């Protein structure tokens, strides 16, 4: 089991935290990244798959082996690509039994003392609040960056609703289309029609859909196979099975 901190031998300027659902090279996280001064942090944390009893009581669901494998495999492949791109990377894999992202961040900061910390806004307020709580406790500040995965900006829906009486999804959808100029012909929808919902409301009948295409299958590579072994060893209590998942990842 390799030491995740070994790639970093001294203090760094900025620590860039890469979340498991933000694995894209065109992220705003990489703006201004300097490999000679900065480093990236990724972590496979236990509570994201197997939350504590208290977290479960507060609505955080247990993951499955299949879902966790998808995340771990994607994260490890992205980490491999970053290493190939000569990006200094601290990667906590699941054998290190890091419980939370805050734990990984704490140990990393104790090792390399970053001056700045950057994170793209998480899609989950729980993660956002946990990192903010850590920063407050440690008297640190976090620079939150816009998540370009989403069409809407933070707070945009609230501002849009302030001028309306009812939250009707169709009008919100049209607002985003117009603001981003997606499939628009000046101020009108391209083709003259906003959507085709009325054409998609017929039922399949009791027999359900027929003539479905066979889903594509893929053989797992060594990275995925190792992630599968790690899950079976360290997260064996998760529900689900990975026995036949290798051909459908």
């Amino acid at each position: 089991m390799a030491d995740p901190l070994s790639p970093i031998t001294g203090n760094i300027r900025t620590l860039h935290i890469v979340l498991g659902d933000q694995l894209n090279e065109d992220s705003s996280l990489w703006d201004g990244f300097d490999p000679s001064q900065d480093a990236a942090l990724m972590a496979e944390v236990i509570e994201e798959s197997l939350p504590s009893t208290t977290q479960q009581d507060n609505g955080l669901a247990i993951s499955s082996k299949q879902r966790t494998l998808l995340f771990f495999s994607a994260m490890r492949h992205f980490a491999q690509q970053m290493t190939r791109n000569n990006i200094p990377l601290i990667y906590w894999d699941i054998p290190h039994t890091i419980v939370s992202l805050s734990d990984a961040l704490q140990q990393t900061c104790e090792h390399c003392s970053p001056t700045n910390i950057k994170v793209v806004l998480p899609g989950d307020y729980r993660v956002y609040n946990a990192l903010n709580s850590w920063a407050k406790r440690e008297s640190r500040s976090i620079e939150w960056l816009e998540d370009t995965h989403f069409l809407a900006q933070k707070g945009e829906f609230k501002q849009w609703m302030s001028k309306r009486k009812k939250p009707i999804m169709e009008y919100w959808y049209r607002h985003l289309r117009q603001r981003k100029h997606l499939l628009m012909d000046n101020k009108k929808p391209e083709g003259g029609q906003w959507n085709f919902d009325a054409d998609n409301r017929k039922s399949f009948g009791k027999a359900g859909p027929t003539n479905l295409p066979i889903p594509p299958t893929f053989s797992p590579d060594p990275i995925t196979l190792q992630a599968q072994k790690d899950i079976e060893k360290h997260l064996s209590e998760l529900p689900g099975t990975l026995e036949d998942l290798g051909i459908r990842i």
Side-chain angles (χ1 to χ4, degrees), residues 34-52:
D34 183 352
S36 68
Q37 304 181 75
D38 305 329
L41 168 65
M42 298 180 69
E44 302 169 3
V45 298
I46 291 176
E47 72 176 14
E48 291 299 320
S49 293
L50 192 62
S52 66

Side-chain angles (χ1 to χ4, degrees), residues 165-202:
K165 295 181 178 180
K166 294 183 179 180
I168 299 176
M169 180 61 71
E170 172 67 18
Y171 298 147
W172 169 243
Y173 163 76
R174 294 185 186 187
H175 162 77
L176 291 177
R177 285 264 302 269
Q178 290 169 329
R179 184 177 67 78
K180 300 291 289 187
H181 201 71
L182 296 172
L183 297 175
M184 297 294 297
D185 184 6
N186 292 320
K187 295 183 178 181
K188 295 183 179 180
E190 190 170 311
Q193 191 170 341
W194 281 106
N195 58 60
F196 297 88
D197 290 351
D199 301 328
N200 295 323
R201 290 173 179 161
K202 295 180 180 180

Side-chain angles (χ1 to χ4, degrees), residues 3-239:
D3 179 3
L5 298 170
S6 59
I8 311 300
T9 56
N11 296 345
I12 63 172
R13 181 186 65 170
T14 305
L15 183 66
H16 299 243
I17 301 178
V18 183
L19 301 180
D21 58 352
Q22 298 175 351
L23 309 179
N24 54 304
E25 293 182 337
D26 60 351
S27 168
S28 58
L29 184 67
W30 305 114
D31 293 345
F33 186 91
D34 183 352
S36 68
Q37 304 181 75
D38 305 329
L41 168 65
M42 298 180 69
E44 302 169 3
V45 298
I46 291 176
E47 72 176 14
E48 291 299 320
S49 293
L50 192 62
S52 66
T53 302
T54 301
Q55 289 173 317
Q56 292 179 45
D57 291 340
N58 290 331
L60 184 57
I62 295 176
S63 183
S64 64
K65 290 181 179 178
Q66 296 95 320
R67 176 180 178 275
T68 298
L69 177 59
L70 181 63
F71 267 96
F72 285 5
S73 177
M75 290 172 66
R76 294 182 184 190
H77 279 89
F78 190 71
Q80 182 187 65
Q81 185 60 42
M82 285 199 296
T83 301
R84 288 174 177 170
N85 292 340
N86 297 316
I87 294 177
L89 173 65
I90 299 166
Y91 193 101
W92 296 91
D93 58 21
I94 201 63
H96 288 89
T97 61
I98 291 291
V99 175
S100 68
L101 182 58
S102 298
D103 292 339
L105 182 54
Q106 178 68 32
Q107 293 194 42
T108 301
C109 287
E110 290 175 357
H111 175 75
C112 59
S113 301
T115 303
N116 309 299
I117 300 173
K118 290 186 177 183
V119 194
V120 170
L121 281 167
D124 189 333
Y125 274 116
R126 174 185 54 83
V127 177
Y128 175 79
N129 290 334
L131 290 177
N132 267 336
S133 296
W134 173 88
K136 184 178 180 179
R137 185 172 65 250
E138 298 297 320
S139 300
R140 301 292 301 255
S141 62
I142 294 177
E143 181 180 350
W144 296 102
L145 307 173
E146 180 184 356
D147 186 354
T148 54
H149 287 120
F150 295 96
L151 292 178
Q153 299 173 346
K154 185 180 180 181
E156 183 177 357
F157 180 75
K158 184 177 181 180
Q159 182 180 7
W160 179 81
M161 271 302 301
S162 67
K163 302 176 183 178
R164 290 162 178 79
K165 295 181 178 180
K166 294 183 179 180
I168 299 176
M169 180 61 71
E170 172 67 18
Y171 298 147
W172 169 243
Y173 163 76
R174 294 185 186 187
H175 162 77
L176 291 177
R177 285 264 302 269
Q178 290 169 329
R179 184 177 67 78
K180 300 291 289 187
H181 201 71
L182 296 172
L183 297 175
M184 297 294 297
D185 184 6
N186 292 320
K187 295 183 178 181
K188 295 183 179 180
E190 190 170 311
Q193 191 170 341
W194 281 106
N195 58 60
F196 297 88
D197 290 351
D199 301 328
N200 295 323
R201 290 173 179 161
K202 295 180 180 180
S203 65
F204 287 113
K206 294 182 179 180
T210 59
N211 300 320
L212 295 176
I214 299 175
T217 59
F218 307 91
S219 298
D221 64 0
I223 290 179
T224 302
L225 290 173
Q226 183 58 54
Q228 180 175 340
K229 292 178 181 178
D230 289 340
I231 290 170
E232 295 289 14
K233 182 177 181 179
H234 300 283
L235 293 169
S236 59
E237 56 267 65
L238 290 180

